[in-house]
């Protein structure tokens, strides 16, 4: 039997992308198209005294100018923090915020127009360090006036179960450690681009590089005052997102506004510098974590206090605030558990969701702390972890429901493959191994905007040509979700992949999907597609059974044929289709996904809830040059439990991508500012690891077959990043005996730590 | 050079491909300074996008065949200024006779960039600074700097001078090998010690080229030397140097150590091995390197690394001895 699930196959759009036929947002061109460019704030925090657009408007190549008061309504991807406007109104909150937009006949004319807009500013005290934002300031200095108690604190999230403080006092071994993490950004390949058209017949059509066409659809409606049915959002081919395209953005709203204002198509495309300024990347984080355990290394309690630097606006920040704490509840059993996270506003580009959202930094802190405790107790770090794993089918202390759980298999796999037992702690000075584990949500169980609709709907259409069209709002951002949908449908109907076509992410033609975030698409949209395909199978079976007089429940779909168990029926797919469509024409079915009711009934219980969780364990081997402090990651062994690999080639790709991205945050990537001005908004100075920096990778896919996942699948795109970073940090310790509490682990920090240790040793001797 | 904002001027622009040095120099004379020579363009193109190129005209030198050659000229290796870094790496004579050059070339940029980037272009790469190598809007948002349109150096906060860093890795290697360059300008052809090319001025980085000068070739003595090379950077590829040390010791035990990436011009320390000590090397490096906080690696670490590299190299020659 030909199967398409479980086989490593190229993505269904790979040829189009490789040959340049795929249409990305910037590839769309329309007659009479205008181009929009933005004037951005030169100040991190300032009152706008006046804006004069008259000179810009008089420029012969300029067709329209827009400023903040043209689109004054607040928005944000989370309804709880609509703190952003399309352009600055009354004041600017970061250097780089859009103040005005100019649509011109050419990009050059638009840029010329931007230069002619005159703005007078009155600088306000800028808050650049998160600790400054924690304290009370003068009302006129507040970044947002809605912050309570005169501070710049955006959100405080705190949960506490079973008095963790008392447990830490009782625990025989406790480590309290402080960590600091620099902000990092997604660094996807394709800069943002949006094209908008407007006419009375079609309404507003927005083609945009987005991970969330549905939320963009809603936000356009709100900000532009257009009914939802007058708006169509199309997500074209996308060159990566990693969470960096998962908010509705000002440039999308402005481009649409200018298309409506001018009645002409308008295109916006970002420079790389603008992509960096748009940010929405991982929050810079300061974290203190206390973990206690007994003499055998059994974890007794965890308590964490976290401050995350949100930048100027909310974005996904409220979720991030919770995720920093709640996603420490696994993969270990911790019954006495607490955290407090405070997210502050600062006058820098805003932070938001990025691959592994909210859990990457705390995971580093937790896994390094466990390593320290293992070292204290002289327990092998793998053994200490094995003794603490959550089992399958359990609830965490905060009532996250764990179903399938392959973490133990993951750890055993990398332990064996890296020859850990023979080599850990025994490699020559300068060479070391480190281990870490992790877990992550496989789709957020709760939608961002509460409503009574399913989280996703998939429609299938079968017509006389024998092809099945999958209609889904899901956004393929390069992660291969279109391929997953085609695979699920083809597998269910026993068809070769070429019979299945995917029409996705066009809000006028495809049913709603909430978007590509929180690693939800394979699980949720996969399930909806499965349900729709099963219904289609049932309809065809019913028609064939009636006509061929065979029992319906004996009919099978396999190898592109419709057959009965006993071989008495053997129809080609096309013959089966003709029978099913006779007298009625095209067949349509629908499937959807709604998360089961999960979680407790306390405040904050919804955070981190997912119908399923992925698990993983990684081991890294590093080489540290003790003279220069330079760290080279030699090899990474990664094992990830994705439930079932629908497409092992894609899963491997995601794990490798996580290793590469984790390596960057661990060793070299960092958003650097000078007085609120981003210093490294280019790929020369924002240092993504190059091919030469990328280690050898040994990937193991663990299949725990999730009972609720489509064909047993759960996520693989984000979970594998979490263990990467701490496995590197822990390996540095094994190599040269110093702990790295600050990311990125740049050579200057390693050298300073080595010196400090040497000095301490000398003092001890003397 | 102090830039007038290019957008304020409305002038004709041109891009001319020349096939001889004479033609290039003649064209340059016509343009009276309002031009840039271009070879690989890997530095110029970035600067153009950052609005750091005020000149309106480009003279493309890549079709001048005579500047593409590598040849042995008596006791010297002659390398045309348009030889690409990739060609340096793969040239058998270079690899066998002056391997330091191949090592240095391999440390520059990326394989793709090295296919365009030339030896001459690398020797003339513009000095870099965190506060200068930025977009026009970024620079104006911080109030610009001495090298641009501003009144002070944003790094040190005074108007005393510009401390932008010379980042030519090839310069470090060539200078360690005692290379000379041949320059053709309006007055004719002349040979100079390569060190004379570098002005030590953060704003006007290069000497010798004021009269429409073009570097024709680099001449490197072919003699047995023990060479050593290190480049400080965060990644194994792409990064500009944070500190490059190239060193050579010849058969007479005469040493030439060139430190680059940490000061406005490459710093050469030379002398007889017998008369030098590690302490003396450190002392001279400290005296000559005007290192300021204008790179993304911390100043303290970069200063430290100059000494660590010198120490490592010093150790290596004494082990060999």
């Amino acid at each position: 039997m030909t199967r398409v699930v479980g086989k490593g196959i190229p993505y269904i759009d790979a040829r189009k992308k490789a040959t340049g036929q795929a249409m990305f947002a910037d590839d769309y061109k329309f007659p009479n198209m205008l181009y929009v460019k933005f004037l951005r704030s030169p100040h991190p925090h300032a009152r706008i005294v006046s804006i004069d657009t008259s000179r810009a408007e008089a420029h012969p190549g300029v067709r329209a100018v827009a400023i903040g008061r043209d689109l004054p309504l607040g928005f944000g991807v989370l309804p709880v923090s609509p703190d952003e406007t399309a352009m600055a109104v009354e004041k600017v909150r970061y250097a780089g915020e859009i103040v005005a937009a100019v649509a011109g006949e050419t990009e050059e004319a638009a840029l010329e127009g931007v230069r002619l807009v005159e703005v007078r500013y009155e600088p306000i005290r800028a808050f650049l360090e998160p600790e400054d934002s924690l304290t009370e300031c003068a009302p006129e200095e507040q970044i947002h006036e809605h912050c309570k108690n005169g501070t710049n604190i955006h959100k405080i999230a705190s949960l506490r179960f079973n008095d963790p403080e008392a447990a830490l006092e009782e625990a025989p071994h406790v480590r309290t450690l402080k960590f600091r993490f620099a902000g990092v950004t997604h660094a996807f390949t394709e800069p943002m681009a949006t094209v908008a058209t407007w006419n009375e017949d079609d309404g507003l059509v927005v083609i945009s590089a987005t991970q969330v066409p549905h939320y963009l659809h809603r936000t356009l409606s709100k900000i532009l005052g257009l009914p939802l049915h007058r708006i169509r959002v199309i997500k074209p081919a996308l060159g990566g997102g990693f969470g960096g395209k998962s908010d509705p953005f000002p440039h999308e709203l402005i481009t649409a506004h200018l298309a409506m204002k001018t009645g002409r198509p308008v295109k916006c495309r970002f420079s790389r510098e603008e992509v960096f300024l748009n940010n929405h990347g991982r929050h810079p984080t300061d974290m203190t974590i206390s973990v206690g355990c007994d003499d055998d290394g059994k974890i007794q309690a965890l308590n964490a206090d976290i401050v995350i630097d949100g930048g100027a606006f909310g974005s996904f920040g409220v979720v991030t605030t919770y995720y920093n704490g709640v996603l420490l509840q696994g993969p270990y059993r911790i019954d006495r558990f607490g955290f407090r996270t405070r997210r502050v506003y600062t006058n820098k580009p805003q932070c938001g969701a990025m691959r592994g959202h909210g859990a990457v930094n705390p995971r580093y802190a937790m896994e390094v702390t466990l390593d320290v405790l293992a070292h204290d107790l002289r327990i092998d770090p793998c053994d200490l972890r094995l003794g603490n794993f959550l089992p399958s089918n359990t609830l965490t202390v905060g009532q996250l429901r764990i179903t399938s759980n392959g973490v133990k298999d993951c750890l055993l796999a990398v332990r064996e493959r890296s020859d850990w037992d023979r080599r850990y702690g025994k490699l020559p000075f300068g060479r070391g191994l480190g281990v870490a584990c992790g877990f992550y949500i496989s789709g957020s169980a709760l939608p961002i905007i509460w409503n009574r609709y399913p989280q996703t709907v998939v429609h299938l259409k079968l017509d006389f040509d024998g092809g099945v069209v999958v209609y889904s709002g899901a956004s393929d951002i390069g992660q291969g979700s279109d391929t997953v949908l085609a695979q699920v449908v083809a597998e269910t109907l026993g068809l070769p992949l070429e019979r299945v076509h995917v029409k996705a992410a066009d809000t006028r033609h495809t049913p709603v999907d909430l978007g590509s975030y929180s690693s939800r698409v394979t699980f949720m949209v996969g399930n909806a597609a499965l349900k729709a395909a099963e219904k289609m199978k049932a309809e065809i079976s019913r028609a064939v059974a009636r006509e061929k007089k065979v029992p319906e429940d004996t009919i099978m779909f396999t190898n592109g044929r419709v057959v009965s168990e006993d071989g008495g029926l053997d129809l080609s797919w096309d013959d089966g289709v003709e029978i099913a469509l006779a007298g009625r024409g095209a067949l349509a079915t629908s499937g959807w996904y709604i998360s089961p009711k999960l979680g407790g009934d306390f405040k904050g219980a919804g955070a981190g809830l997912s119908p399923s969780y992925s698990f993983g364990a990684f081991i890294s081997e590093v080489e540290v040059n003790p003279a220069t402090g330079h760290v080279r990651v030699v090899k990474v062994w990664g094992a990830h439990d994705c439930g079932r690999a629908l497409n092992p080639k894609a899963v491997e790709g995601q794990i490798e991508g996580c290793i590469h991205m984790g390596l960057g945050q661990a060793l070299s990537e960092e958003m650097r500012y000078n007085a609120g001005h981003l210093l490294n908004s280019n790929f020369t100075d924002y240092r993504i690891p190059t091919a030469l920096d990328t280690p050898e990778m040994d990937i193991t896919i663990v299949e725990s077959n999730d009972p609720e996942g489509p064909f047993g699948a759960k996520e693989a795109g984000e979970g594998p990043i979490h263990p990467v970073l701490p496995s590197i940090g822990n390996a540095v310790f094994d190599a040269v005996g110093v702990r790295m509490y600050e990311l990125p682990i740049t050579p200057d920090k390693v050298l300073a730590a080595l010196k400090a240790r040497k000095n301490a040793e000398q003092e001890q001797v003397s | 050079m102090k830039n007038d904002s290019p957008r304020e001027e409305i002038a004709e622009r041109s891009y001319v491909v020349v096939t001889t040095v004479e033609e290039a120099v003649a064209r340059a004379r016509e343009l009276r300074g309002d031009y840039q020579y271009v070879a690989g363009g890997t530095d110029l193109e970035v600067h153009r996008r950052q609005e750091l190129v005020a000149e309106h005209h480009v003279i493309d030198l890549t079709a001048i065949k005579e500047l593409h050659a590598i040849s042995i000229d008596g006791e010297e290796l002659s390398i045309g200024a348009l030889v690409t870094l990739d060609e340096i790496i793969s040239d058998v004579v270079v690899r066998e006779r002056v391997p330091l050059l191949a090592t240095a070339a391999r440390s520059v940029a990326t394989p793709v960039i090295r296919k365009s980037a030339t030896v001459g272009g690398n020797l003339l790469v513009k000095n870099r600074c965190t506060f200068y190598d930025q977009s026009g809007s970024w620079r104006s948002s911080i109030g610009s700097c001495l090298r641009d349109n501003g009144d002070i150096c944003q790094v040190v906060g005074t108007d005393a001078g510009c401390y932008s860093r010379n980042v030519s890795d090839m310069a470090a290697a060539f200078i360690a090998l005692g290379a000379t360059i041949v320059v053709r300008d309006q007055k004719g052809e002349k040979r100079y010690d390569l060190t004379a090319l570098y002005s030590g001025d953060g704003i006007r980085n290069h000497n010798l080229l004021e009269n429409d000068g073009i570097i024709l070739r680099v001449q490197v003595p072919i003699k047995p030397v023990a060479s050593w090379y290190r480049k400080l950077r965060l990644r194994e590829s792409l990064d500009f140097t944070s500190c490059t040390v190239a060193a050579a010791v010849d058969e007479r035990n005469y040493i030439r150590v060139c430190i680059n990436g940490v000061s406005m011009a490459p710093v050469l320390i030379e002398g007889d091995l017998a008369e030098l000590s590690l302490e003396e090397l450190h002392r001279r490096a400290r005296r000559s390197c005007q290192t300021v906080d204008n790179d993304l690696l911390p100043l303290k670490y970069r200063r430290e690394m100059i000494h660590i590299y010198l120490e490592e190299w010093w150790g290596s020659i004494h082990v060999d001895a």
Side-chain angles (χ1 to χ4, degrees):
Chain A
M1 176 181 165
T2 312
R3 302 206 70 125
V4 289
V5 154
K7 260 176 71 173
I9 54 166
Y11 290 157
I12 57 173
D13 54 359
R15 283 186 194 86
K16 272 198 297 189
K17 284 185 176 162
T19 56
Q21 290 183 58
M23 292 285 284
F24 293 83
D26 189 28
D27 291 324
Y28 285 84
K29 292 181 178 68
F30 294 94
N32 301 317
M33 193 162 74
L34 298 173
Y35 297 85
V36 59
K37 291 284 175 187
F38 304 113
L39 176 70
R40 292 173 179 274
S41 166
H43 301 288
H45 201 190
R47 198 169 68 79
I48 297 172
V49 178
S50 64
I51 303 181
D52 181 354
T53 60
S54 57
R55 285 180 67 214
E57 280 161 358
H59 185 280
V62 169
R63 290 290 161 268
V65 181
I67 60 170
R69 68 166 177 264
D70 297 333
L71 298 169
L73 292 179
F75 72 92
V77 66
L78 303 184
V80 71
S81 40
D83 55 9
E84 191 174 4
T85 48
M87 287 164 281
V89 179
E90 292 181 1
K91 71 176 203 164
V92 290
R93 293 178 172 88
Y94 72 92
E97 184 178 356
I98 299 175
V99 176
V102 177
E105 294 286 352
T106 61
E107 285 193 315
E108 290 73 21
L111 268 177
E112 201 56 46
V114 164
R115 290 182 184 117
L116 293 170
V117 175
E118 290 170 17
V119 187
R120 286 204 304 123
Y121 299 95
E122 195 176 85
I124 308 171
R125 174 191 172 194
F127 293 84
L128 303 174
E129 296 301 326
E131 52 268 30
D132 296 335
S133 293
L134 289 169
T135 52
E136 194 178 339
C137 64
E140 63 275 13
E141 291 176 347
Q142 272 191 302
I143 298 170
H144 293 277
E145 58 188 27
H146 60 78
C147 291
K148 289 177 190 160
N149 304 319
T151 68
N152 285 304
I153 298 172
H154 169 216
K155 172 73 186 174
I156 301 176
S158 182
L159 288 176
R160 231 145 268 280
F161 304 100
N162 305 323
D163 200 355
E165 289 88 349
L168 284 167
E169 277 183 22
E170 292 158 17
H173 304 280
V174 178
R175 279 287 193 158
T176 298
L177 299 169
K178 286 188 176 186
F179 293 84
R180 171 160 266 216
F181 304 92
V184 290
T185 198
H186 319 82
F188 37 73
T189 309
E190 179 207 15
M192 276 86 176
T194 301
V195 187
T197 63
W198 163 260
N199 60 61
E200 287 297 332
D201 302 327
D202 296 329
L204 176 68
V205 180
V206 176
I207 302 164
S208 194
T210 178
Q211 299 177 230
V212 286
H214 175 66
Y215 295 125
L216 177 57
H217 188 176
R218 283 178 177 268
T219 308
L220 285 163
S221 171
K222 177 186 173 187
I223 301 303
L224 302 176
L226 274 177
L228 288 163
H229 68 271
R230 297 281 286 153
I231 299 170
R232 175 182 176 194
V233 177
I234 298 167
K235 178 217 68 77
L238 219 72
F242 309 109
K245 294 171 181 167
S246 59
D247 295 55
F249 291 124
H251 70 269
E252 296 172 315
L253 306 174
I254 300 166
T255 305
H257 166 69
L258 288 169
M260 292 178 71
K261 189 170 175 176
T262 59
R264 289 173 61 174
V266 179
K267 177 183 276 192
C268 156
R269 49 180 195 171
F270 272 12
S271 67
R272 182 58 64 181
E273 182 181 31
E274 289 180 295
V275 175
F276 274 94
L277 290 172
N278 197 63
N279 191 23
H280 291 72
R282 201 176 316 293
H283 292 62
T285 303
D286 286 301
M287 177 166 183
T288 303
I289 186 169
S290 301
V291 181
C293 63
D294 67 14
D295 292 337
D296 299 323
K298 204 89 179 163
I299 299 169
Q300 305 292 295
L302 180 154
N303 196 10
D305 193 36
I306 306 158
V307 176
I308 60 174
D309 177 353
F313 298 103
S315 181
F316 277 92
V318 170
V319 176
T320 322
T321 310
Y322 274 106
Y323 276 9
N324 264 270
V326 295
L327 293 177
L328 284 169
Q329 288 178 67
Y332 311 107
R333 164 74 69 199
I334 309 172
D335 289 332
R336 303 181 76 176
F337 175 92
F339 75 90
R340 175 184 68 163
T341 312
R342 288 172 290 174
R343 182 183 195 264
V344 295
Y345 288 119
T346 55
N347 294 112
K348 290 182 289 191
Q350 65 185 299
C351 298
M354 179 171 160
R355 195 184 214 165
H357 184 195
V360 171
N361 295 341
R363 178 55 46 200
Y364 183 88
M366 176 63 177
E367 296 295 322
V368 169
T369 306
L370 284 183
D371 215 63
V372 171
L373 283 165
H375 192 73
D376 291 348
L377 293 166
R378 297 178 190 280
I379 297 176
D380 181 287
C382 288
D383 289 337
L384 183 133
R385 286 170 170 82
L386 283 165
N388 281 291
F389 283 141
L390 288 161
S392 307
N393 304 311
T394 188
L395 289 178
T396 70
V397 67
Q399 299 191 42
L400 306 184
R401 185 197 67 164
I402 305 295
T403 52
S404 61
N405 178 353
V407 69
K408 187 179 167 190
D409 290 341
C410 289
L411 183 54
L412 292 176
V414 291
R415 184 179 193 166
E416 188 191 331
R417 295 183 72 83
S418 65
D419 204 5
W420 171 273
D421 290 343
R422 202 176 59 78
R423 302 199 307 138
Y424 172 71
K426 303 178 188 86
L427 294 172
F429 185 74
R431 193 105 178 180
L433 288 171
V435 65
C437 300
F439 87 123
Y440 200 61
I441 57 172
S442 199
S444 172
L446 302 175
I448 287 174
I449 300 170
W450 188 89
N451 60 66
R452 297 174 61 185
Y453 306 120
Q455 283 142 307
T456 194
V457 174
V458 168
H459 289 168
L460 298 186
K461 185 206 80 173
L462 169 65
D463 213 337
F464 78 104
D465 60 1
V468 180
V469 185
V470 184
Y471 293 90
S472 162
S475 297
D476 194 320
I477 60 172
Q479 89 282 38
S481 64
D482 284 356
T483 305
V484 163
L485 296 186
Q487 281 184 287
V488 166
V489 171
E491 180 78 12
T492 309
L493 296 174
L495 291 174
L497 212 52
E498 68 192 40
R499 288 269 191 179
V500 182
H501 310 282
V502 178
K503 170 73 181 165
D506 176 339
T507 61
R508 189 156 291 166
H509 299 284
T510 58
V512 169
D513 176 67
L514 299 183
S516 284
Y517 63 92
S518 84
S519 276
R520 55 182 291 286
V521 177
T522 294
F523 197 94
M524 295 186 178
V525 190
N527 265 323
L530 180 61
K531 196 179 268 186
E534 278 170 349
K535 284 184 188 171
M536 180 162 279
K537 195 162 85 172
E539 291 239 22
I540 299 168
S541 297
R542 200 171 308 132
V544 170
R546 199 164 45 232
E547 180 154 325
K548 296 294 180 183
K549 304 203 171 14
V550 293
E552 197 179 317
D553 58 3
T554 65
I555 296 176
M556 300 188 304
F557 293 71
T558 181
N559 292 331
R561 302 192 73 77
V562 184
V563 297
S564 62
E565 275 171 13
D566 61 4
L569 176 77
D570 186 2
L571 296 175
S572 72
W573 167 257
D574 288 322
D575 290 342
V577 169
E578 194 178 333
I579 292 168
L581 269 54
R584 62 174 286 181
L587 177 59
T589 59
S590 180
W592 55 87
Y593 182 81
I594 302 170
S595 282
K597 180 153 173 43
L598 299 165
D601 54 7
F602 52 88
K603 185 174 186 296
L609 289 181
S610 174
S612 183
Y613 297 85
S614 72
F615 293 85
F618 281 57
I619 286 173
S620 288
E621 181 166 351
V622 303
E623 200 175 68
V624 182
N625 182 334
T628 65
H630 191 90
V631 177
R632 190 170 75 88
V633 179
V634 179
K635 187 165 181 179
V636 177
W637 292 265
H640 181 74
D641 163 25
C642 64
R644 170 101 189 273
L646 300 183
N647 183 353
K649 197 187 283 287
V651 172
E652 270 177 43
Q654 288 291 344
I655 298 172
E656 289 176 358
C658 281
I659 291 173
H660 182 262
M661 200 172 228
L663 178 74
Q665 191 185 348
L667 296 186
S668 56
E669 291 181 36
E670 173 176 14
M671 291 185 81
R672 295 278 296 272
Y673 294 89
N674 177 69
H677 298 272
L678 186 58
L679 279 168
N680 55 344
S681 55
N682 59 69
F683 284 153
T684 306
D685 297 318
Y686 184 86
R687 287 158 172 165
I688 304 167
T690 68
L692 290 180
D693 303 295
T694 306
E696 188 186 343
M697 303 174 190
D698 179 286
I699 308 297
T700 304
I701 297 172
V702 169
E703 296 191 316
S704 60
N705 282 306
D706 191 82
E708 294 176 22
F711 297 100
K714 43 191 188 181
E715 79 88 33
E718 298 192 74
I721 197 172
H722 301 100
V724 175
L725 297 83
S727 73
I728 293 170
N730 289 337
V732 170
F733 178 78
D734 187 42
V736 290
V738 292
R739 288 284 174 199
M740 303 313 299
Y741 298 114
E742 205 176 311
L743 295 186
I745 305 170
T746 47
D748 53 296
K749 291 177 194 145
V750 176
L751 204 59
L754 283 166
K755 268 191 183 171
R757 198 191 57 163
K758 199 173 169 188
N759 290 342
E761 281 170 0
Q762 276 169 353
E763 264 176 40
Q764 230 169 14
V765 170
S766 65
Chain B
M1 124 180 28
K2 195 120 175 162
N3 282 327
D4 293 317
S5 175
R7 61 180 179 261
E8 306 252 318
E9 299 178 28
I10 302 166
E12 195 184 332
R13 294 173 182 272
S14 68
Y15 190 102
V16 178
V17 181
V18 294
T19 54
T20 65
V21 176
E22 290 68 31
E23 195 186 344
V25 175
R27 175 71 180 155
R29 187 203 299 267
E30 286 165 22
L31 295 170
R32 287 178 297 176
D34 187 17
Y35 71 91
Q36 285 268 339
Y37 288 128
V38 66
T42 54
D43 200 31
L44 181 68
E45 183 55 19
V46 175
H47 283 104
R48 192 183 65 76
R49 284 166 188 259
Q50 290 178 324
E51 300 174 64
L52 285 169
V53 179
E55 292 81 3
H56 293 81
H57 304 273
V58 176
I59 302 172
D60 183 335
L61 306 176
T62 50
I64 304 176
K65 285 192 182 135
E66 63 181 283
L67 305 189
H68 285 272
I70 299 176
S71 61
I72 291 179
D73 186 4
E75 295 299 299
E76 288 185 324
L77 183 69
S78 171
I79 299 172
L82 292 179
V83 170
T84 66
L85 299 180
D86 191 52
E87 287 162 347
I88 287 279
I89 295 166
S90 54
D91 188 89
V92 177
V93 177
V94 172
R95 275 172 23 200
E96 284 179 1
R97 309 294 289 271
V98 274
L100 177 60
L101 292 181
T103 305
R106 199 177 288 111
S107 80
V108 178
T110 66
V112 173
I113 293 171
R114 293 196 294 260
K115 287 192 185 299
S116 306
T118 62
V119 168
N122 189 271
L123 291 179
L124 291 172
V125 66
K126 285 186 180 165
N127 282 20
R128 292 184 68 82
C129 172
T130 326
F131 293 83
Y132 180 75
D133 290 280
Q134 300 282 356
S135 67
S137 57
W138 192 97
R139 295 194 311 277
S140 64
S141 76
I142 61 155
S144 200
C145 74
L146 272 182
R147 191 176 171 197
D148 199 4
N149 296 313
D151 302 324
I152 59 162
C153 165
Q154 296 285 350
V155 183
V156 298
T158 71
D159 62 358
C162 166
Y163 296 87
S164 66
R165 310 181 297 123
N166 189 294
V167 292
S168 171
D169 295 318
M170 294 310 293
F174 276 121
I175 289 172
L177 293 168
T180 54
I181 51 170
V182 177
V183 173
R184 164 68 200 273
D185 64 11
Q186 300 295 356
K187 293 178 185 163
E189 205 171 293
K190 203 170 166 189
R191 183 162 166 160
Y192 303 90
D193 192 283
L194 175 56
T195 53
L197 178 66
Y198 300 103
S199 66
D201 183 329
I203 297 172
R204 197 184 54 83
N205 308 151
H206 303 108
N207 296 322
L208 312 179
L209 308 174
E210 296 84 357
N211 292 311
D212 306 319
I214 297 172
I215 298 175
L216 302 184
R217 56 189 177 273
V218 193
Q219 310 267 123
V220 189
I222 303 178
K223 57 180 181 180
V225 291
S227 61
W228 192 92
Y229 183 86
R230 288 288 184 280
K231 175 173 174 174
L232 178 64
R233 53 178 165 177
L234 219 45
R235 297 177 292 186
E236 292 295 312
S237 185
L238 188 58
D239 291 354
F240 284 99
T241 184
S242 291
C243 173
T244 292
V245 175
V249 188
D250 70 13
E251 286 183 315
R252 296 182 298 108
N253 274 340
Y254 193 79
I255 68 166
R256 292 174 66 91
V257 190
C258 185
I259 307 165
N260 209 9
V262 289
S263 204
M264 292 84 81
V267 167
L268 172 66
I269 301 171
E270 60 181 328
D272 283 319
L273 182 59
E275 290 166 15
L276 283 169
S277 64
L278 181 59
E279 290 67 34
E280 174 63 10
L281 284 178
H282 285 333
R283 197 184 62 76
R284 288 204 209 171
R286 264 197 304 274
R287 197 180 58 201
S288 307
C289 297
Q290 289 178 272
T291 313
V292 297
D293 196 6
N294 58 358
D295 179 51
L296 290 175
L297 279 178
L299 174 62
K300 186 176 166 224
Y301 178 69
R302 284 164 54 225
R303 282 186 175 146
E304 203 174 351
M305 285 308 298
I306 298 171
H307 297 290
I308 286 170
Y309 280 163
L310 288 176
E311 203 174 308
E312 200 178 317
W313 167 68
W314 189 256
S316 78
I317 54 174
H318 285 83
V319 166
D320 293 347

